[in-house]
Amino acid sequence: MSWCIKNLPAMQETGSIGTADGSSLVKLGNTTVICGIKAEFGAPPTDAPDKGYVVPNVDLSPLCSWRFRSGPPGEEAQVASQFIADVIENSQIIQKEDLCISSGKLAWVLYCDLICLNHDGNILDACTFALLAALKNVQLPEVTINEETALAEVNLKKKSYLNIRTHPVATSFAVFDDTLLIVDPTEEEEHLATGTLTVVMDEEGKLCCLHKPGGSGLTGAKLQDCMSRAVTRHKEVKKLMDEVFKSMKPK
Amino acid sequence: MAFLDFRGGSGRVQIVSKRRATCGRHSWSPRVGACVQRTHLVRKRALLGGSNKPRLHVGSGAMEGAMQTESKIRADSRTEPGPRGPGCSLRHFACEQNLLSRPDGSASFLQGDTSVLAGVYGPAEVKISKEIFNKATLEVILRPKTGLPGVAEKSRERLIRNTCEAVVLGALHPRTSITVVLQVVSDAGSLLACCLNAACMALVDAGVPMRALFCGVTCALDSDGTLMLDPTAKQEKEARAVLTFALDSVERKLLMSTTKGLYSDAELQQCLAAAQTASTHVFRFYRESLQRRYSKS
């Protein structure tokens, strides 16, 4: 078995979109994903009146690759959206209770739009990273409910960052007949691979998601190797993210 | 749709065409007693002959051999009201093949109260836009019990499709399409695993060439780290993490995995080992089920 260590996120920018409440741009080799988060008001769900919503949507447009056509989201986009929704749910990246303004009446709804600008493989890693960076960048204004008019009053001058509890980082592998495992595959490698594996890990070494959508079989030992590689990758990515945020903070 | 219906009073077994809903009460009761009588009657029917009729086979996750199965089931019905054996084991499962006339292969798989019906059409004509020049195009359609299929179904379809693609010998049927249609009949936990098992049995029934069989096993981890195999819907909701694996029959390698919730690396390995042991039971059940179907007696 041989490893092929590839592209670290080459570039990461946050706050690039002025109109969005939080945004980020991530480049993993040639794969480029931009994430914009808009916060809007909504009624909390009836079965969980003290929770808000986080709604991810991955958009794979014809711009990013010849494989996609315009129109309703294709299968790959839907699978990616579901994957991001699962990561948000499983890793508890933000406590949904933090998004509630008034129990049963008003809550924040965060619409996370992940748009792929260039698809050169490993879209899941890039999307997870972009989402995490954008969430760290989101600033929500303070909202108070006026008792007399029962209307919400938004104070745009007083904004606060979201409380990000964990930092899930995704590591994808391309499997070739159980003999070769390539970390961070490009589109060509993904196309030729017999299987793929994505591991999402947070800083305590807990796994949020082990996504292996079919493909050739893997033994337990190989899986263990993937885990240790995922731990290393988490450290690398976290270091990069901390550097970017340190340079951004004085605002 | 023709299937076996057990009439308690007369003790006769007959093939009737009925909507599944009506016969739900008679056939698929979770009480173990009903299953015992069915097993006994199926064996009796098998002796009388009739190889083309739908074959019903009932199994238990904790079985060692056919006769011991029955005694263990009887013991359970006296001591515990629950439908599974003591300790960490799978719920009762049953499989029926060749129950639909239009698809090339069909199977219905039951795990406890979860039931999935699968139909396979193929190898058949493929649309030019979807054709692959050197292998078969596999398509999976998953229909939920109620409502329109959404993004979650698409995600599951992709998981099942990629698992099937890994085992089906598509190279033997280039420029054709193999379609697997799954209909969720009832969902009482471990749905994805049940879908995988139903899909495998339906592919076998259709005679699609495969390099191995595959099975789905679900594990749930609760807040104090206890492992539960084949959880019910209630157990899944209360669990801290739910892991579903698809394993192949040759070397028990991991074909597919999808997880929900937070867990550690050690817990993952523990679940995987437990799933591999449980899959031996499922594969033995497949083998016996098929042996029964194709045996002359």
Side-chain angles (χ1 to χ4, degrees):
Chain A
M1 181 209 72
S2 66
W3 295 105
C4 191
I5 300 168
K6 300 178 114 271
N7 313 310
L8 270 179
M11 183 174 111
Q12 189 209 332
E13 237 182 72
T14 49
S16 24
I17 305 175
T19 48
D21 297 298
S23 61
S24 71
L25 171 75
V26 167
K27 267 190 98 159
L28 255 145
N30 284 332
T31 302
T32 314
V33 172
I34 192 161
C35 177
I37 300 187
K38 289 288 280 184
E40 286 178 20
F41 287 138
T46 41
D47 54 347
D50 56 350
K51 290 193 176 170
Y53 293 94
V54 181
V55 183
N57 180 38
V58 177
D59 182 27
L60 298 172
S61 63
L63 170 69
C64 65
S65 168
W66 60 270
R67 293 188 286 134
F68 307 114
R69 302 245 169 90
S70 53
E75 200 208 350
E76 191 163 346
Q78 291 194 44
V79 169
S81 300
Q82 185 64 37
F83 175 81
I84 299 291
D86 286 340
V87 168
I88 296 171
E89 180 71 42
N90 292 343
S91 64
Q92 300 280 303
I93 186 172
I94 52 174
Q95 189 80 293
K96 290 215 170 106
E97 281 81 358
D98 292 344
L99 295 174
C100 182
I101 302 163
S102 162
S103 178
K105 295 198 197 96
L106 203 64
W108 284 115
V109 181
L110 293 177
Y111 289 105
C112 311
D113 293 302
L114 292 134
I115 297 161
C116 179
L117 299 173
N118 195 16
H119 190 323
D120 191 27
N122 205 4
I123 198 80
L124 298 176
D125 279 13
C127 285
T128 320
F129 193 32
L131 180 75
L132 181 60
L135 281 171
K136 284 200 95 155
N137 185 235
V138 166
Q139 286 185 306
L140 292 177
E142 196 195 346
V143 182
T144 45
I145 308 268
N146 190 335
E147 281 110 32
E148 293 154 358
T149 58
L151 285 173
E153 281 168 9
V154 179
N155 184 358
L156 286 167
K157 294 205 175 52
K158 205 167 165 197
K159 289 192 175 185
S160 59
Y161 285 98
L162 280 175
N163 177 20
I164 306 288
R165 295 157 82 229
T166 57
H167 297 85
V169 170
T171 313
S172 290
F173 302 84
V175 184
F176 289 86
D177 281 339
D178 200 30
T179 50
L180 192 65
L181 277 157
I182 292 186
V183 186
D184 192 12
T186 60
E187 191 179 351
E188 202 180 331
E189 287 159 2
E190 267 182 4
H191 184 66
L192 294 168
T194 52
T196 55
L197 168 69
T198 306
V199 178
V200 181
M201 212 177 241
D202 72 3
E203 53 261 346
E204 293 159 27
K206 288 235 172 229
L207 289 155
C208 314
C209 186
L210 179 69
H211 183 77
K212 186 184 188 301
S216 56
L218 272 183
T219 55
K222 284 275 159 65
L223 207 58
Q224 198 55 48
D225 291 332
C226 294
M227 296 301 154
S228 37
R229 186 73 188 91
V231 171
T232 335
R233 182 125 168 116
H234 187 283
K235 291 200 189 96
E236 292 163 355
V237 169
K238 185 86 181 6
K239 208 168 73 167
L240 175 71
M241 201 148 48
D242 288 339
E243 271 173 33
V244 175
F245 279 105
K246 222 184 296 177
S247 64
M248 284 269 314
K249 268 302 184 185
K251 228 190 198 173
Chain B
M1 157 169 87
F3 61 93
L4 218 61
D5 177 41
F6 173 64
R7 306 266 171 179
S10 63
R12 262 184 322 131
V13 170
Q14 56 189 18
I15 310 273
V16 293
S17 290
K18 248 190 217 181
R19 279 184 50 224
R20 196 163 199 80
T22 345
C23 272
R25 287 190 301 279
H26 302 295
S27 320
W28 307 120
S29 136
R31 283 177 299 115
V32 166
C35 291
V36 172
Q37 286 155 320
R38 166 165 282 109
T39 318
H40 176 61
L41 283 157
V42 166
R43 209 165 277 122
K44 216 171 156 188
R45 265 191 76 251
L47 287 168
L48 297 170
S51 54
N52 286 341
K53 291 178 184 154
R55 276 287 186 255
L56 173 67
H57 185 227
V58 177
S60 158
M63 65 189 184
E64 298 303 317
M67 287 318 292
Q68 285 165 344
T69 309
E70 291 207 44
S71 55
K72 195 167 169 70
I73 291 172
R74 279 200 202 97
D76 283 351
S77 68
R78 273 199 298 261
T79 54
E80 308 171 21
R84 66 171 89 208
C88 205
S89 65
L90 305 169
R91 291 178 284 183
H92 284 301
F93 35 81
C95 169
E96 209 175 329
Q97 288 189 307
N98 202 20
L99 53 153
L100 301 172
S101 64
R102 298 305 299 264
D104 296 322
S106 55
S108 165
F109 205 89
L110 263 91
Q111 272 179 234
D113 281 333
T114 308
S115 168
V116 175
L117 183 61
V120 169
Y121 290 90
E125 187 82 35
V126 68
K127 262 196 219 165
I128 307 282
S129 57
K130 290 193 193 158
E131 96 177 350
I132 304 174
F133 75 98
N134 61 343
K135 54 183 188 159
T137 311
L138 208 76
E139 209 181 306
V140 173
I141 300 168
L142 176 63
R143 298 235 146 223
K145 183 172 156 205
T146 50
L148 288 167
V151 179
E153 273 72 40
K154 261 283 183 277
S155 174
R156 289 205 176 128
E157 282 174 10
R158 153 80 68 103
L159 294 172
I160 300 171
R161 192 185 77 230
N162 284 20
T163 315
C164 294
E165 269 176 7
V167 290
V168 164
L169 295 168
L172 291 175
H173 299 283
R175 293 186 308 278
T176 62
S177 83
I178 299 173
T179 312
V180 180
V181 185
L182 295 154
Q183 171 69 56
V184 176
V185 174
S186 66
D187 181 7
S190 310
L191 183 65
L192 186 58
C194 197
C195 289
L196 284 161
N197 294 335
C200 182
M201 286 274 97
L203 284 165
V204 168
D205 190 44
V208 171
M210 299 200 276
R211 66 169 58 86
L213 297 180
F214 59 91
C215 80
V217 183
T218 315
C219 298
L221 284 165
D222 66 5
S223 36
D224 48 340
T226 336
L227 205 139
M228 275 176 291
L229 282 175
D230 201 13
T232 58
K234 186 162 172 282
Q235 285 170 335
E236 271 185 5
K237 220 171 168 181
E238 291 164 2
R240 164 170 57 99
V242 179
L243 298 91
T244 307
F245 302 111
L247 302 162
D248 83 342
S249 61
V250 179
E251 283 172 40
R252 308 283 182 278
K253 276 199 206 165
L254 179 69
L255 287 175
M256 187 278 291
S257 122
T258 182
T259 67
K260 204 173 94 151
L262 275 172
Y263 49 95
S264 71
D265 192 13
E267 283 169 342
L268 169 70
Q269 294 297 334
Q270 199 190 355
C271 287
L272 192 55
Q276 281 170 334
T277 327
S279 67
T280 353
H281 293 304
V282 184
F283 289 128
R284 203 183 311 147
F285 173 69
Y286 282 179
R287 183 173 279 272
E288 283 180 12
S289 181
L290 291 166
Q291 268 173 349
R292 242 168 239 243
R293 185 173 170 206
Y294 293 110
S295 66
K296 291 263 160 54
S297 57

